[in-house]
Coordinates of all heavy atoms in Angstrom, one line a residue:
T125 N 51.0 215.4 69.6 CA 50.9 215.7 71.0 C 52.3 215.7 71.7 O 53.1 214.9 71.4 CB 50.1 214.6 71.7 OG1 48.8 214.4 71.0 CG2 49.7 214.9 73.1
E126 N 52.5 216.7 72.5 CA 53.8 216.8 73.2 C 53.6 216.5 74.7 O 52.7 216.9 75.3 CB 54.3 218.2 73.1 CG 55.6 218.5 73.8 CD 56.1 219.9 73.8 OE1 55.6 220.7 72.9 OE2 56.9 220.3 74.6
Y127 N 54.6 215.7 75.2 CA 54.6 215.4 76.6 C 56.0 215.8 77.1 O 57.0 215.4 76.6 CB 54.5 213.9 76.8 CG 53.2 213.3 76.2 CD1 53.2 212.7 75.0 CD2 52.0 213.4 76.9 CE1 52.0 212.2 74.4 CE2 50.8 212.9 76.4 CZ 50.8 212.3 75.2 OH 49.7 211.8 74.6
R128 N 56.0 216.6 78.2 CA 57.3 217.0 78.8 C 57.5 216.0 79.9 O 56.9 215.9 80.9 CB 57.1 218.4 79.4 CG 57.1 219.4 78.4 CD 58.1 220.5 78.7 NE 58.2 221.5 77.7 CZ 59.3 221.8 77.1 NH1 60.4 221.3 77.5 NH2 59.2 222.7 76.1
I129 N 58.6 215.2 79.8 CA 59.0 214.2 80.7 C 59.8 214.9 81.8 O 59.6 214.7 83.0 CB 59.8 213.1 80.1 CG1 58.9 212.4 79.0 CG2 60.3 212.0 81.1 CD1 59.5 211.5 78.1
T130 N 60.8 215.7 81.4 CA 61.5 216.6 82.3 C 61.6 217.9 81.6 O 61.3 218.0 80.4 CB 62.9 216.0 82.6 OG1 63.7 216.1 81.4 CG2 62.9 214.6 83.2
P131 N 62.1 219.0 82.2 CA 62.3 220.2 81.4 C 63.1 220.1 80.2 O 62.9 220.8 79.2 CB 63.0 221.2 82.4 CG 62.5 220.7 83.8 CD 62.5 219.2 83.6
E132 N 64.1 219.2 80.2 CA 65.0 219.0 79.0 C 64.5 217.9 78.0 O 65.0 217.8 76.9 CB 66.4 218.6 79.4 CG 67.1 219.6 80.3 CD 66.7 219.5 81.8 OE1 66.2 218.4 82.2 OE2 66.9 220.4 82.5
L133 N 63.6 217.0 78.5 CA 63.2 215.8 77.7 C 61.8 215.9 77.2 O 60.9 216.1 78.1 CB 63.5 214.6 78.5 CG 63.3 213.2 77.8 CD1 64.3 213.1 76.6 CD2 63.5 212.1 78.8
R134 N 61.5 215.8 75.9 CA 60.2 215.9 75.4 C 59.9 214.7 74.5 O 60.8 214.2 73.8 CB 60.0 217.2 74.5 CG 60.1 218.4 75.4 CD 60.1 219.7 74.5 NE 61.1 219.7 73.5 CZ 62.4 220.0 73.7 NH1 62.8 220.2 74.9 NH2 63.3 220.1 72.7
W135 N 58.7 214.2 74.6 CA 58.2 213.1 73.7 C 57.0 213.6 72.9 O 56.1 214.1 73.5 CB 57.9 211.9 74.6 CG 57.3 210.8 73.8 CD1 57.8 210.2 72.6 CD2 56.1 210.1 74.1 NE1 57.0 209.2 72.2 CE2 56.0 209.1 73.1 CE3 55.2 210.1 75.1 CZ2 54.9 208.2 73.1 CZ3 54.1 209.2 75.1 CH2 54.0 208.3 74.1
Y136 N 57.1 213.4 71.6 CA 56.0 213.7 70.7 C 55.4 212.5 70.1 O 56.2 211.6 69.8 CB 56.5 214.7 69.6 CG 57.1 215.9 70.0 CD1 58.4 216.0 70.4 CD2 56.3 217.1 70.1 CE1 59.0 217.2 70.8 CE2 56.9 218.3 70.5 CZ 58.2 218.3 70.8 OH 58.8 219.5 71.3
S137 N 54.1 212.4 69.9 CA 53.5 211.3 69.2 C 52.4 211.9 68.3 O 51.8 212.9 68.5 CB 52.9 210.4 70.2 OG 51.8 211.0 70.9
D138 N 52.2 211.2 67.2 CA 51.2 211.7 66.2 C 50.6 210.4 65.5 O 51.2 209.4 65.3 CB 51.7 212.7 65.2 CG 52.8 212.1 64.3 OD1 52.5 211.5 63.3 OD2 54.0 212.3 64.7
V139 N 49.3 210.6 65.2 CA 48.6 209.6 64.4 C 47.9 210.4 63.3 O 47.1 211.3 63.6 CB 47.5 208.8 65.3 CG1 46.8 207.9 64.4 CG2 48.3 208.1 66.4
N140 N 48.1 210.1 62.1 CA 47.5 210.6 60.9 C 46.6 209.6 60.2 O 47.1 208.4 60.1 CB 48.5 211.2 60.0 CG 49.3 212.3 60.6 OD1 48.7 213.3 61.1 ND2 50.6 212.2 60.5
F141 N 45.4 209.9 59.8 CA 44.6 209.0 59.1 C 44.2 209.5 57.8 O 43.6 210.6 57.7 CB 43.4 208.6 60.0 CG 42.6 207.5 59.3 CD1 42.9 206.2 59.5 CD2 41.5 207.8 58.6 CE1 42.2 205.2 58.9 CE2 40.7 206.8 58.0 CZ 41.1 205.5 58.1
R142 N 44.5 208.8 56.7 CA 44.0 209.2 55.4 C 42.8 208.3 55.1 O 42.9 207.1 55.2 CB 45.1 209.0 54.4 CG 44.7 209.5 53.0 CD 45.7 209.1 51.9 NE 46.2 207.8 51.9 CZ 45.5 206.7 51.5 NH1 44.3 206.8 51.1 NH2 46.1 205.5 51.6
T143 N 41.7 208.9 54.7 CA 40.6 208.1 54.4 C 40.7 207.4 53.0 O 41.6 207.8 52.2 CB 39.3 209.0 54.3 OG1 39.5 210.0 53.3 CG2 39.0 209.7 55.6
G144 N 39.9 206.4 52.8 CA 40.0 205.7 51.5 C 39.6 206.6 50.4 O 38.8 207.5 50.5
Q145 N 40.0 206.2 49.1 CA 39.5 207.0 48.0 C 39.6 206.1 46.7 O 40.4 205.2 46.6 CB 40.5 208.1 47.8 CG 41.9 207.8 47.6 CD 42.8 209.0 47.6 OE1 42.4 210.1 47.3 NE2 44.1 208.8 47.8
W146 N 38.7 206.5 45.8 CA 38.7 205.9 44.4 C 39.8 206.6 43.6 O 39.8 207.9 43.7 CB 37.4 206.0 43.8 CG 36.3 205.2 44.5 CD1 35.4 205.7 45.4 CD2 36.1 203.8 44.5 NE1 34.6 204.6 45.9 CE2 35.1 203.5 45.3 CE3 36.8 202.7 43.7 CZ2 34.6 202.2 45.5 CZ3 36.3 201.5 43.9 CH2 35.2 201.1 44.8
V147 N 40.6 205.9 42.9 CA 41.7 206.6 42.2 C 41.5 206.6 40.6 O 42.4 207.0 40.0 CB 43.0 206.0 42.6 CG1 43.3 206.4 44.0 CG2 43.1 204.5 42.3
D148 N 40.4 206.1 40.1 CA 40.2 206.1 38.7 C 38.8 206.7 38.4 O 38.0 206.7 39.3 CB 40.4 204.7 38.1 CG 39.4 203.7 38.6 OD1 38.8 203.9 39.7 OD2 39.0 202.8 37.9
I149 N 38.6 207.1 37.2 CA 37.4 207.8 36.8 C 36.2 206.9 36.8 O 35.1 207.3 37.1 CB 37.6 208.4 35.4 CG1 36.5 209.5 35.2 CG2 37.6 207.4 34.3 CD1 36.8 210.5 34.1
S150 N 36.4 205.5 36.7 CA 35.3 204.6 36.6 C 35.0 203.9 38.0 O 34.2 203.0 38.1 CB 35.5 203.5 35.6 OG 36.7 202.8 35.9
N151 N 35.7 204.4 39.0 CA 35.6 203.8 40.4 C 35.8 202.3 40.5 O 35.0 201.6 41.1 CB 34.2 204.2 41.0 CG 34.1 205.7 41.3 OD1 35.2 206.4 41.4 ND2 32.9 206.2 41.4
Q152 N 36.9 201.9 39.8 CA 37.2 200.4 39.9 C 38.3 200.1 40.8 O 38.5 199.0 41.3 CB 37.5 199.9 38.5 CG 36.4 200.1 37.5 CD 35.2 199.2 37.9 OE1 35.4 198.0 38.2 NE2 34.0 199.7 37.8
I153 N 39.2 201.1 41.0 CA 40.4 201.0 41.9 C 40.2 201.8 43.1 O 40.1 203.0 43.0 CB 41.7 201.4 41.1 CG1 41.8 200.5 39.8 CG2 42.9 201.1 41.9 CD1 42.9 201.0 38.8
Y154 N 40.3 201.1 44.3 CA 40.1 201.8 45.5 C 41.3 201.6 46.4 O 41.9 200.5 46.5 CB 38.8 201.2 46.2 CG 38.5 201.9 47.6 CD1 37.9 203.1 47.6 CD2 38.8 201.3 48.8 CE1 37.5 203.7 48.7 CE2 38.5 201.9 50.0 CZ 37.9 203.1 49.9 OH 37.5 203.7 51.1
I155 N 41.8 202.7 47.0 CA 42.9 202.6 48.0 C 42.2 202.8 49.4 O 41.6 203.8 49.6 CB 43.9 203.7 47.8 CG1 44.6 203.5 46.4 CG2 44.9 203.6 48.8 CD1 45.6 204.6 46.1
K156 N 42.4 201.8 50.2 CA 41.8 201.8 51.6 C 42.4 202.9 52.4 O 43.5 203.4 52.2 CB 42.0 200.4 52.3 CG 43.5 200.2 52.6 CD 43.6 198.9 53.4 CE 45.0 198.6 53.7 NZ 45.2 197.7 54.8
G157 N 41.6 203.3 53.4 CA 42.1 204.3 54.4 C 43.2 203.7 55.3 O 43.2 202.4 55.5
V158 N 44.1 204.5 55.8 CA 45.2 203.9 56.5 C 45.7 204.9 57.6 O 45.8 206.1 57.3 CB 46.4 203.5 55.6 CG1 46.9 204.7 54.9 CG2 47.4 202.8 56.4
P159 N 46.0 204.5 58.8 CA 46.6 205.3 59.8 C 48.1 205.3 59.7 O 48.7 204.3 59.3 CB 46.1 204.7 61.1 CG 46.0 203.3 60.9 CD 45.5 203.2 59.4
R160 N 48.7 206.4 60.0 CA 50.2 206.4 60.1 C 50.6 206.9 61.5 O 50.1 208.0 61.9 CB 50.8 207.4 59.1 CG 50.5 207.1 57.6 CD 51.6 206.2 57.0 NE 51.4 206.1 55.6 CZ 50.9 205.1 54.9 NH1 50.6 204.0 55.6 NH2 50.8 205.1 53.6
V161 N 51.4 206.1 62.2 CA 51.7 206.4 63.5 C 53.2 206.8 63.6 O 54.1 206.1 63.0 CB 51.5 205.2 64.5 CG1 51.9 205.5 65.9 CG2 50.1 204.8 64.3
G162 N 53.6 207.9 64.3 CA 54.9 208.3 64.4 C 55.2 208.8 65.9 O 54.3 209.1 66.6
T163 N 56.5 208.9 66.2 CA 56.9 209.4 67.5 C 58.3 210.0 67.4 O 59.1 209.8 66.5 CB 56.9 208.2 68.5 OG1 57.1 208.8 69.8 CG2 58.0 207.2 68.2
R164 N 58.6 210.9 68.3 CA 59.9 211.6 68.4 C 60.3 211.9 69.8 O 59.4 212.2 70.7 CB 59.8 212.9 67.6 CG 61.1 213.6 67.5 CD 61.0 214.8 66.6 NE 60.3 215.9 67.3 CZ 59.3 216.6 66.8 NH1 58.8 216.3 65.6 NH2 58.7 217.6 67.4
L165 N 61.5 211.7 70.1 CA 62.0 212.0 71.5 C 63.1 213.0 71.3 O 64.1 212.8 70.5 CB 62.6 210.7 72.1 CG 62.9 210.8 73.6 CD1 61.7 211.0 74.5 CD2 63.6 209.5 74.0
E166 N 63.0 214.1 72.1 CA 64.0 215.2 72.0 C 64.6 215.5 73.3 O 63.9 215.4 74.3 CB 63.4 216.5 71.5 CG 63.0 216.5 70.1 CD 62.4 217.9 69.6 OE1 62.3 218.8 70.5 OE2 62.1 218.0 68.5
Y167 N 65.9 215.8 73.3 CA 66.6 216.1 74.6 C 67.5 217.3 74.4 O 68.3 217.4 73.4 CB 67.5 214.9 75.0 CG 68.3 215.2 76.3 CD1 67.6 215.3 77.5 CD2 69.7 215.4 76.2 CE1 68.4 215.6 78.7 CE2 70.4 215.7 77.4 CZ 69.7 215.8 78.6 OH 70.4 216.0 79.7
D168 N 67.3 218.3 75.2 CA 68.1 219.6 75.2 C 69.4 219.3 75.9 O 69.4 219.4 77.2 CB 67.3 220.7 75.8 CG 66.1 221.1 75.0 OD1 66.1 220.9 73.7 OD2 65.1 221.6 75.5
A169 N 70.4 219.0 75.2 CA 71.7 218.6 75.8 C 72.3 219.9 76.4 O 72.9 219.8 77.5 CB 72.6 218.0 74.9
Y170 N 72.3 221.0 75.7 CA 72.8 222.3 76.1 C 71.8 223.4 75.7 O 70.7 223.1 75.0 CB 74.1 222.6 75.5 CG 75.2 221.6 75.9 CD1 75.6 220.6 75.0 CD2 75.8 221.7 77.1 CE1 76.5 219.7 75.4 CE2 76.8 220.8 77.5 CZ 77.1 219.8 76.6 OH 78.1 218.9 77.0
K171 N 72.0 224.6 76.0 CA 71.1 225.7 75.7 C 70.8 225.8 74.2 O 69.7 226.0 73.8 CB 71.7 227.0 76.2 CG 70.9 228.2 75.9 CD 71.5 229.4 76.5 CE 71.2 230.7 75.8 NZ 71.8 231.8 76.3
N172 N 71.8 225.5 73.4 CA 71.7 225.6 71.9 C 71.9 224.3 71.2 O 72.0 224.3 69.9 CB 72.7 226.7 71.4 CG 74.1 226.3 71.8 OD1 74.4 225.4 72.5 ND2 75.1 227.0 71.2
L173 N 71.8 223.2 71.8 CA 72.0 221.9 71.2 C 70.9 220.9 71.7 O 70.7 220.6 72.8 CB 73.3 221.3 71.5 CG 73.6 219.9 70.9 CD1 73.7 220.0 69.4 CD2 74.9 219.3 71.5
T174 N 70.1 220.4 70.7 CA 69.0 219.5 70.9 C 69.3 218.2 70.1 O 69.6 218.3 68.9 CB 67.7 220.0 70.5 OG1 67.4 221.2 71.2 CG2 66.6 219.1 70.8
T175 N 69.2 217.1 70.8 CA 69.4 215.8 70.0 C 68.0 215.1 70.0 O 67.1 215.4 70.8 CB 70.4 214.8 70.8 OG1 69.9 214.6 72.1 CG2 71.8 215.5 70.9
Y176 N 67.8 214.3 69.0 CA 66.5 213.6 68.8 C 66.7 212.3 68.2 O 67.7 212.0 67.5 CB 65.6 214.5 68.0 CG 66.0 214.6 66.5 CD1 65.6 213.7 65.6 CD2 66.9 215.7 66.1 CE1 66.0 213.9 64.2 CE2 67.3 215.8 64.8 CZ 66.8 214.9 63.8 OH 67.2 214.9 62.5
V177 N 65.7 211.5 68.4 CA 65.4 210.2 67.7 C 64.0 210.3 67.2 O 63.1 210.8 67.9 CB 65.7 208.9 68.5 CG1 67.2 208.8 68.8 CG2 64.9 208.9 69.8
R178 N 63.7 209.8 66.0 CA 62.4 209.9 65.4 C 62.1 208.5 64.7 O 63.0 208.0 64.1 CB 62.4 211.0 64.4 CG 61.0 211.3 63.8 CD 61.2 212.5 62.9 NE 61.6 212.0 61.6 CZ 62.2 212.8 60.7 NH1 62.4 214.1 61.0 NH2 62.5 212.3 59.5
A179 N 60.8 208.1 64.8 CA 60.4 206.9 64.1 C 59.1 207.3 63.4 O 58.2 207.9 64.0 CB 60.2 205.8 65.0
E180 N 59.0 206.9 62.1 CA 57.8 207.1 61.3 C 57.2 205.8 60.8 O 57.9 204.9 60.6 CB 58.2 208.0 60.1 CG 58.7 209.4 60.5 CD 59.0 210.2 59.3 OE1 59.0 209.7 58.2 OE2 59.4 211.4 59.5
N181 N 55.9 205.8 60.6 CA 55.2 204.7 60.2 C 55.5 203.4 61.0 O 55.9 202.4 60.6 CB 55.5 204.4 58.7 CG 54.4 203.5 58.1 OD1 53.4 203.1 58.7 ND2 54.7 203.2 56.8
L182 N 55.2 203.6 62.3 CA 55.5 202.5 63.3 C 54.7 201.3 63.0 O 55.1 200.2 63.3 CB 55.2 203.0 64.7 CG 56.2 204.0 65.3 CD1 55.7 204.6 66.6 CD2 57.5 203.4 65.5
N183 N 53.6 201.4 62.4 CA 52.7 200.3 62.0 C 53.2 199.6 60.7 O 52.6 198.6 60.3 CB 51.2 200.6 62.0 CG 50.9 201.8 61.2 OD1 51.7 202.7 61.0 ND2 49.7 201.8 60.7
D184 N 54.2 200.2 60.1 CA 54.8 199.6 58.8 C 53.8 199.3 57.8 O 53.9 198.3 57.1 CB 55.6 198.3 59.2 CG 56.6 197.9 58.2 OD1 57.1 198.8 57.4 OD2 56.9 196.7 58.0
D185 N 52.8 200.1 57.5 CA 51.8 200.0 56.5 C 52.3 200.6 55.2 O 52.7 201.7 55.2 CB 50.5 200.6 57.0 CG 49.3 200.2 56.1 OD1 49.5 200.5 54.9 OD2 48.4 199.7 56.5
K186 N 52.3 199.8 54.2 CA 52.8 200.3 52.9 C 51.7 200.6 51.9 O 52.0 200.7 50.7 CB 53.8 199.3 52.3 CG 55.0 199.1 53.2 CD 55.9 198.0 52.7 CE 57.1 197.9 53.5 NZ 56.9 197.0 54.7
T187 N 50.5 200.9 52.4 CA 49.4 201.2 51.5 C 49.8 202.5 50.7 O 50.3 203.5 51.4 CB 48.1 201.5 52.3 OG1 47.8 200.3 53.0 CG2 47.0 201.9 51.4
P188 N 49.6 202.5 49.4 CA 50.0 203.7 48.6 C 49.2 205.0 49.0 O 48.0 204.9 49.3 CB 49.8 203.3 47.2 CG 48.8 202.1 47.3 CD 49.0 201.5 48.6
E189 N 49.9 206.1 48.9 CA 49.2 207.4 49.1 C 48.5 207.8 47.8 O 47.4 208.3 47.8 CB 50.2 208.5 49.4 CG 50.9 208.3 50.8 CD 49.9 208.6 51.9 OE1 49.0 209.3 51.8 OE2 50.2 208.0 53.0
L190 N 49.1 207.4 46.7 CA 48.6 207.6 45.3 C 48.7 206.3 44.6 O 49.6 205.5 45.0 CB 49.3 208.7 44.6 CG 49.3 210.1 45.1 CD1 50.3 211.0 44.4 CD2 47.9 210.6 45.0
Y191 N 47.9 206.0 43.7 CA 47.9 204.7 42.9 C 49.3 204.5 42.4 O 49.8 205.3 41.7 CB 46.8 204.7 41.9 CG 46.7 203.4 41.1 CD1 46.4 202.3 41.8 CD2 46.9 203.4 39.8 CE1 46.3 201.0 41.2 CE2 46.8 202.1 39.1 CZ 46.5 201.0 39.8 OH 46.4 199.8 39.2
R192 N 49.8 203.3 42.7 CA 51.1 202.8 42.3 C 52.3 203.6 42.8 O 53.4 203.3 42.4 CB 51.2 202.8 40.8 CG 50.3 201.8 40.1 CD 50.6 201.6 38.7 NE 49.7 200.6 38.1 CZ 49.6 200.4 36.9 NH1 50.3 201.0 36.0 NH2 48.8 199.4 36.5
F193 N 52.1 204.5 43.8 CA 53.2 205.2 44.5 C 53.2 204.7 45.9 O 52.5 205.3 46.8 CB 53.1 206.7 44.4 CG 53.3 207.2 43.0 CD1 52.2 207.4 42.1 CD2 54.6 207.6 42.6 CE1 52.4 207.9 40.9 CE2 54.8 208.0 41.4 CZ 53.7 208.3 40.5
Y194 N 53.8 203.6 46.2 CA 53.7 202.9 47.5 C 54.4 203.7 48.6 O 55.5 204.3 48.3 CB 54.3 201.5 47.4 CG 53.4 200.6 46.6 CD1 53.6 200.5 45.2 CD2 52.3 200.1 47.1 CE1 52.8 199.8 44.4 CE2 51.4 199.3 46.3 CZ 51.6 199.2 44.9 OH 50.8 198.5 44.2
A195 N 53.8 203.7 49.7 CA 54.4 204.4 50.9 C 55.7 203.6 51.4 O 55.7 202.4 51.4 CB 53.4 204.6 52.0
M196 N 56.6 204.4 52.0 CA 57.7 203.8 52.6 C 57.3 203.1 53.9 O 56.4 203.7 54.6 CB 58.8 204.9 52.9 CG 60.0 204.4 53.5 SD 61.3 205.6 53.6 CE 60.7 206.7 54.8
G197 N 57.9 202.0 54.3 CA 57.5 201.4 55.5 C 58.1 202.1 56.7 O 58.4 203.3 56.7
F198 N 58.4 201.4 57.8 CA 58.9 201.9 59.0 C 60.3 202.6 58.7 O 61.1 202.0 57.9 CB 59.1 200.8 60.0 CG 59.9 201.2 61.2 CD1 59.3 201.9 62.2 CD2 61.3 200.8 61.3 CE1 60.1 202.3 63.3 CE2 62.0 201.2 62.4 CZ 61.4 202.0 63.4
A199 N 60.5 203.7 59.3 CA 61.8 204.4 59.2 C 62.2 205.0 60.5 O 61.3 205.5 61.2 CB 61.6 205.5 58.1
A200 N 63.5 205.0 60.8 CA 64.0 205.6 62.1 C 65.1 206.5 61.7 O 65.9 206.3 60.8 CB 64.4 204.5 63.0
Y201 N 65.2 207.7 62.4 CA 66.2 208.7 62.2 C 66.7 209.2 63.6 O 66.0 209.1 64.6 CB 65.6 209.9 61.5 CG 64.8 209.6 60.2 CD1 63.5 209.4 60.2 CD2 65.6 209.5 59.0 CE1 62.8 209.0 59.1 CE2 64.9 209.2 57.9 CZ 63.5 209.0 57.9 OH 62.9 208.7 56.7
A202 N 67.9 209.7 63.5 CA 68.5 210.3 64.7 C 69.4 211.5 64.2 O 69.8 211.5 63.1 CB 69.4 209.4 65.5
G203 N 69.5 212.5 65.1 CA 70.3 213.7 64.7 C 70.3 214.7 65.8 O 69.9 214.4 67.0
F204 N 70.7 215.9 65.4 CA 70.8 217.0 66.3 C 70.5 218.3 65.7 O 70.6 218.4 64.5 CB 72.2 217.1 67.0 CG 73.3 217.4 66.1 CD1 73.7 218.7 65.8 CD2 73.9 216.4 65.4 CE1 74.7 219.0 65.0 CE2 75.0 216.6 64.5 CZ 75.3 218.0 64.3
V205 N 70.1 219.3 66.5 CA 69.8 220.7 66.0 C 70.7 221.6 66.8 O 70.7 221.6 68.1 CB 68.3 221.0 66.2 CG1 68.1 222.5 65.8 CG2 67.4 220.1 65.4
F206 N 71.5 222.4 66.1 CA 72.4 223.3 66.7 C 71.9 224.7 66.4 O 71.8 225.0 65.2 CB 73.9 223.1 66.3 CG 74.8 224.0 67.0 CD1 75.2 223.8 68.3 CD2 75.3 225.1 66.3 CE1 76.1 224.7 68.9 CE2 76.2 226.0 67.0 CZ 76.6 225.8 68.3
K207 N 71.7 225.6 67.3 CA 71.2 226.9 67.1 C 72.3 227.9 67.5 O 72.9 227.8 68.6 CB 70.0 227.2 67.9 CG 68.8 226.4 67.6 CD 67.6 226.7 68.5 CE 66.5 225.7 68.2 NZ 65.4 225.8 69.1
W208 N 72.7 228.8 66.6 CA 73.7 229.8 66.8 C 73.3 230.8 67.9 O 72.3 231.2 68.0 CB 74.1 230.5 65.6 CG 74.8 229.7 64.6 CD1 74.3 229.1 63.5 CD2 76.2 229.3 64.7 NE1 75.2 228.4 62.9 CE2 76.4 228.4 63.6 CE3 77.2 229.5 65.5 CZ2 77.6 227.9 63.3 CZ3 78.4 228.9 65.3 CH2 78.6 228.1 64.1

């Protein structure tokens, strides 16, 4: 979802939910369903320069996406996009 705070400032938020699943043929190992929450804030500093900060997995849930492949916990990033 995108929210325009000002013409230059945008805030994005997202919630993804993966349902639970059985991961073995005999239905003995179950991975529970889990939501993943993220957000991003972007600012158009100039016509061709956008800066941003982004956070993923705000709820810090490390439930695996696949059996024995654990998800990364909370992560934060910052950067910029320059368009020629």
Side-chain angles (χ1 to χ4, degrees):
T125 306
E126 177 182 342
Y127 303 97
R128 287 229 177 232
I129 299 168
T130 67
E132 300 84 17
L133 188 62
R134 294 174 304 283
W135 174 50
Y136 300 88
S137 64
D138 62 86
V139 176
N140 297 307
F141 186 80
R142 183 188 46 77
T143 59
Q145 60 186 339
W146 295 100
V147 293
D148 65 329
I149 198 164
S150 61
N151 289 342
Q152 299 295 314
I153 303 171
Y154 184 77
I155 297 178
K156 68 176 183 163
V158 62
R160 299 269 193 254
V161 181
T163 189
R164 184 174 77 233
L165 189 65
E166 291 184 356
Y167 178 70
D168 294 329
Y170 298 101
K171 179 178 153 182
N172 56 349
L173 179 66
T174 302
T175 59
Y176 68 89
V177 292
R178 183 178 87 204
E180 297 178 354
N181 198 2
L182 290 171
N183 51 332
D184 198 30
D185 191 303
K186 297 178 180 83
T187 301
E189 296 288 334
L190 297 170
Y191 184 59
R192 293 190 178 171
F193 290 92
Y194 292 94
M196 185 171 68
F198 171 79
Y201 308 93
F204 65 91
V205 177
F206 182 77
K207 298 176 186 173
W208 290 101

